[in-house]
Amino acid sequence: MPASPAGALRAAVPQRLAYLVFEYVGRTGMTVIGGASGRRYRFDRPGAKVAVEPADKASLAGVPNLRLSAGPL
């Protein structure tokens, strides 16, 4: 039995990223609130990495001492 057209379309569409990783490079700790989601992100110490919703990327990218990380959590 062939797959339904909706099922075939769903399989062909690339999945969105579930999260991005930001790293804190400051000296203490910091809490940031995502501009799109309103979610609180806590960076406890220098080098802390936190999973961030993709919708909050722009607002966190503008925060001093936060860097988009290429590595995993």
Side-chain angles (χ1 to χ4, degrees), residues 33-59:
I33 299 174
S37 71
R39 182 175 174 192
R40 292 177 184 256
Y41 300 104
R42 178 67 189 159
F43 298 86
D44 290 332
R45 61 186 175 357
K49 292 183 178 182
V50 174
V52 172
E53 292 184 30
D56 290 328
K57 178 182 178 181
S59 61

Side-chain angles (χ1 to χ4, degrees), residues 13-65:
V13 175
Q15 297 294 317
R16 289 182 22 194
L17 290 176
Y19 64 89
L20 301 170
V21 177
F22 274 80
E23 181 178 4
Y24 176 63
V25 297
R27 293 184 177 196
T28 58
M30 177 170 42
T31 300
V32 180
I33 299 174
S37 71
R39 182 175 174 192
R40 292 177 184 256
Y41 300 104
R42 178 67 189 159
F43 298 86
D44 290 332
R45 61 186 175 357
K49 292 183 178 182
V50 174
V52 172
E53 292 184 30
D56 290 328
K57 178 182 178 181
S59 61
L60 269 69
V63 175
N65 297 320

